[in-house]
Structures are given as C-alpha cells and as structure tokens.
Amino acid sequence: MSATRSVPVVQAVTPPATTNRLFVAGAAASHAAHLRSYGPLATETITNTLLVALEASGLTGRGGAGFATWRKLAAADEARADRVLRSSPIVIANGAEGEPRSTKDATLLQNSPHLVIDGLLATASAIKASQVYLYTVAENFRAVQHALNERPDARHIVLVEAAESFISGEASAVVNAIENGIALPTDRIRRLSDSGLKKRPTIVQNVETLAHIALIARYGARWFRSIGSDRDPGTRLVTVSGDVQHEGVTEVAGDTPLRDILATRGVDRSNVLAVLVGGYHGTWVAADNLGVELSAAALAPLGGHPGAGVLYVLSKQRCGLQATADIVQYLANESARQCGPCMFGLPAMAGVLTRIASGHRDPNLRRELRELSDTVAGRGSCHHPDGTARLALSALSVFADDANHHLSGRCTRQSR
Ligand code: SF4
C-alpha cells in the first residue's frame, strides 16, 4: 500500500496515554462527553489515505479472524475503482458477538458507541461507501439508537437487529441477514469485498476494530503503536469468564501475558487447570503455559489465536474433557446444519467426547475423535466445523492425562 498524502488529523485533546483508550469518556458516554474526551473528528473529510495510517498502525481485526484491517479496506476500495458509480461500496459495523463467552462488543457499544460510529463513518468516507449499516443484537439497540439520534452526521446509518446465535456474526451471515433476513452463512465464490450486499463491494468490520480506526484517524499510527509490541501493537479488549470471581471486560496492551490479564480479574492462578483462549473456536492453554502472550504470534506455537479476545478459565475442580464435550455439543446445536460436516460430523464429535468424559473404556475413542476432526475440517461452507475441530483436538492434547484417566476409569474430578 503506498500513498503520499497523510491522513487529516484533528487533535483537539491530549490522546490517551494509558491502556485505557476505548473507555476514556466514561460509562454510557454521551456525544458531548465523547467529544470532550477525544476531540472532534471530521469523518466526511477522510480519504483513502486513512489506509496508509492503518497499514502503518498494524491494526488487525478484533472480531476473530485477525486480518490486517487496511487490506480489507484496500480490497473494497480497489473493487470500487473498477466499477461503475452504482456499485459503490457498503460498510457494515458488526456487533453481533455470537461468541457466548464474549461481552466486549456489547460493553463497547453500550459505553463508547460514538467511537464505533466515528470509525464506521471514517471507514465509509475513506472508501467512498454509499450505504452504512450497524448490525447488533437487541440488547445494544437502545444505547446505539440513542447515540445515533445524538448526531446529525449519523442519520444515514441503518441499524439492523442481529439474531442471538453463534453464527449470526459470520461475515456472509451478516450480509445474508441484512439482505434476506436469514442470519446463516452462505457459500462464497467471490469475496465480500468484491461482491457482497446487493452485489456491491462490502466491508464487514467488527465494532472494536472500528473504534480503534476512530482513534488512529485522530491520533495517527505512531500513537497507536506506542502501546503493545511490534508484533501486536495497540490495545485489545478481553473478556475473562468461567471460574473467576470477577467476570468482565478488560482493555490490555497487545502481547500481554495471559497470567497478567487474569490477574486484572483477580484470578487465583494456583487453582487454574487451563484457559480456553479465543472462544469456543479457540484452543485450550494449560496452566503451565499462562506466561504466553495474547497475540497471534505468541499463541501460534500452541495452535492458538486471540480470536475475539476471550479467556475462559477452568479451575482444577472441573473436567476439561466434559467442558469441551459441552461446548462441542453447543456448537453442533448452533450450526445451521446446511452442510454435511455440521449435520453429521459435529454431533458425532460431541458424542465421542461425551463418551470419553463419562468414562467409557474404549481405547478407540481418541482415534475416532481425531478422524472425525480431520473429516469435518475445511469441508463446510464456513469455518464453523474447522473451529470446532481445532477445539476438540486441543482438548485431546491439553487434557491428555485426563483422557488416560477417563479411559482407564480413574478420573477423580467433578464431571463439570
Ligand atoms: S459449515 Fe456449518 S455453520 Fe457453516 S454454513 Fe455449513 S452448516 Fe452452516
């Protein structure tokens, strides 16, 4: 990506200097409080030079996949340039947050909705989008509608209700929901950035990513990178839940060790068996490895990824195999059952895991689970089976000793 002009920066206030970047304006911030805290942003003047700042910032998507944000915008911008005027792009803010263990997007939309709106308007202006949507679940509607009503520059944003389901936030499901009222993934032959909603170039961007875009548009890439590490710059929101006293959302610097994040929620590490990182499509990390940082690069050797910034804690009193069986059963129930892997493979995987967890002494069960995981991965229209297979395989690896105990009838943990 190359360009010569710089992004217009309006810096009326001192930029945030700590890891508290996204909630500086306080709880349920009004537009006035937002402007006092962050200063104004003339979103309508922003051009595609914003992409230069985004590339320099190193911002990656905070919705789960972790793509470089600037690349997504560049793809839609390039598609627009190849098209006649009627095919101008569409931008959709994705606040569906189907991941049951994540509450970060709801927390953001209910407390800092104006950062999300700024980021949405800035993105739309940068790629000359003609239509703008904000897609989220009913619980966030009141806060978002109130915020939209507060500002004349947001009147054209269309608010769309998302279904409460695990897959309603998958990008093609978002487009399908807005276009046809059906929040299910669709087979994609072409990229959404080429042909999405109404066959126009479409960007589906997570709401936290948009909030970071709003701050980069104000304060620039160098400011964004002043916290975090070179390989994971900026901050990210993390939802800590499970066997913890204080569940909730915390904003941390990129590349922060898991143990330090858990400490912000008062977790007693001596009683942690493992932590599920990234959400229900994520990977278990054993207690011995809690020094690993929450970044794509650090987690890769463990087969993990930050995903949507979820840390789900399992205490030593719980059974990791049973917890995984419950999650895989949930994921099997949540699939649209449009494709073979979800219709047959996921329920079968849940069944095998449940048999291992409940002490069936069948030495073939582990092999059966591995074969099922291999069979479903990469065979669906979306990545739902892949994520489920990843979770199941990580349970077999991290809870290998437990599996030995179960298969020999020697498990002493609680079943859940
Ligand atoms: S893989 Fe599963 S969740 Fe994805 S489209 Fe097919 S049936 Fe639906």
Side-chain angles (χ1 to χ4, degrees):
M1 172 80 223
S2 64
T4 50
R5 287 179 297 158
S6 60
V7 180
V9 173
V10 181
Q11 192 169 311
V13 297
T14 307
T18 69
T19 50
N20 179 21
R21 291 179 163 185
L22 299 178
F23 300 106
V24 173
S30 66
H31 193 217
H34 167 76
L35 292 176
R36 273 197 306 276
S37 300
Y38 296 107
L41 178 67
T43 53
E44 68 285 356
T45 67
I46 288 176
T47 68
N48 66 356
T49 55
L50 174 65
L51 277 61
V52 180
L54 292 178
E55 183 181 9
S57 75
L59 174 65
T60 53
R62 302 301 200 233
F67 292 128
T69 300
W70 75 271
R71 282 188 196 279
K72 217 168 175 181
L73 271 63
D77 197 41
E78 281 159 19
R80 173 191 62 78
D82 281 342
R83 287 162 182 270
V84 291
L85 200 60
R86 280 171 47 214
S87 289
S88 55
I90 292 173
V91 182
I92 304 169
N94 186 2
E97 199 166 44
E99 167 63 51
R101 293 291 166 186
S102 176
T103 54
K104 73 176 181 73
D105 291 345
T107 303
L108 187 64
L109 284 169
Q110 291 174 25
N111 291 286
S112 296
H114 292 289
L115 269 187
V116 177
I117 294 169
D118 281 353
L120 181 54
L121 294 175
T123 301
S125 182
I127 60 168
K128 295 186 171 59
S130 59
Q131 292 184 25
V132 189
Y133 293 83
L134 201 158
Y135 173 80
T136 190
V137 290
E139 70 164 306
N140 302 325
F141 253 55
R142 197 164 155 204
V144 174
Q145 189 65 69
H146 179 76
L148 292 174
N149 291 344
E150 281 189 290
R151 30 195 305 183
D153 62 342
R155 295 223 169 97
H156 61 296
I157 296 177
V158 180
L159 188 54
V160 180
E161 184 172 340
E164 304 258 7
S165 73
F166 188 82
I167 52 179
S168 67
E170 195 273 343
S172 71
V174 173
V175 169
N176 199 12
I178 295 174
E179 190 145 38
N180 306 309
I182 304 167
L184 297 178
T186 53
D187 250 329
R188 269 182 285 165
I189 299 160
R190 300 181 66 188
R191 295 181 307 178
L192 292 178
S193 55
D194 290 335
S195 178
L197 186 58
K198 304 174 185 177
K199 297 194 168 34
R200 295 190 191 179
T202 301
I203 299 276
V204 180
Q205 197 72 271
N206 169 259
V207 291
E208 184 193 338
T209 313
L210 290 169
H212 289 295
I213 290 175
L215 296 181
I216 293 166
R218 279 181 169 84
Y219 310 131
R222 184 177 298 178
W223 168 84
F224 183 77
R225 300 187 71 96
S226 65
I227 279 179
S229 67
D230 281 349
R231 65 183 184 178
D232 193 30
T235 62
R236 61 171 70 242
L237 296 179
V238 181
T239 311
V240 181
S241 70
D243 297 331
V244 301
Q245 278 199 324
H246 310 291
E247 291 193 347
V249 175
T250 207
E251 186 174 5
V252 301
D255 241 358
T256 299
L258 303 190
R259 62 172 176 236
D260 295 355
I261 301 172
L262 297 180
T264 68
R265 310 306 303 183
V267 174
D268 172 11
R269 274 195 291 129
S270 67
N271 195 34
V272 172
L273 174 68
V275 175
L276 179 57
V277 178
Y280 281 3
H281 279 171
T283 310
W284 290 106
V285 172
D288 290 350
N289 286 325
L290 293 182
V292 70
E293 296 86 2
L294 185 68
S295 69
L299 288 166
L302 300 177
H305 191 275
V310 167
L311 298 185
Y312 173 59
V313 178
L314 205 66
S315 72
K316 286 181 176 168
Q317 288 72 44
R318 306 269 307 283
C319 170
L321 295 164
Q322 184 61 57
T324 308
D326 291 345
I327 295 170
V328 172
Q329 184 62 61
Y330 165 86
L331 294 172
N333 294 341
E334 284 291 298
S335 89
R337 301 197 180 208
Q338 301 180 120
C339 314
C342 281
M343 202 177 312
F344 306 111
L346 269 50
M349 288 169 65
V352 174
L353 264 164
T354 301
R355 271 182 281 154
I356 295 174
S358 56
H360 279 241
R361 298 187 192 187
D362 180 347
N364 294 318
L365 288 174
R366 268 186 291 218
R367 181 178 49 76
E368 211 178 308
L369 186 61
R370 285 196 187 95
E371 286 174 0
L372 281 166
S373 299
D374 287 349
T375 304
V376 300
R379 299 262 166 79
S381 291
C382 74
H383 294 303
H384 190 56
D386 313 25
T388 310
R390 182 166 51 238
L391 171 72
L393 292 175
S394 102
L396 277 190
S397 164
V398 171
F399 306 121
D401 288 346
D402 287 345
N404 290 335
H405 289 151
H406 281 255
L407 292 168
S408 60
R410 288 186 285 114
C411 176
T412 55
R413 289 191 216 282
Q414 293 174 5
S415 62
R416 284 173 200 270

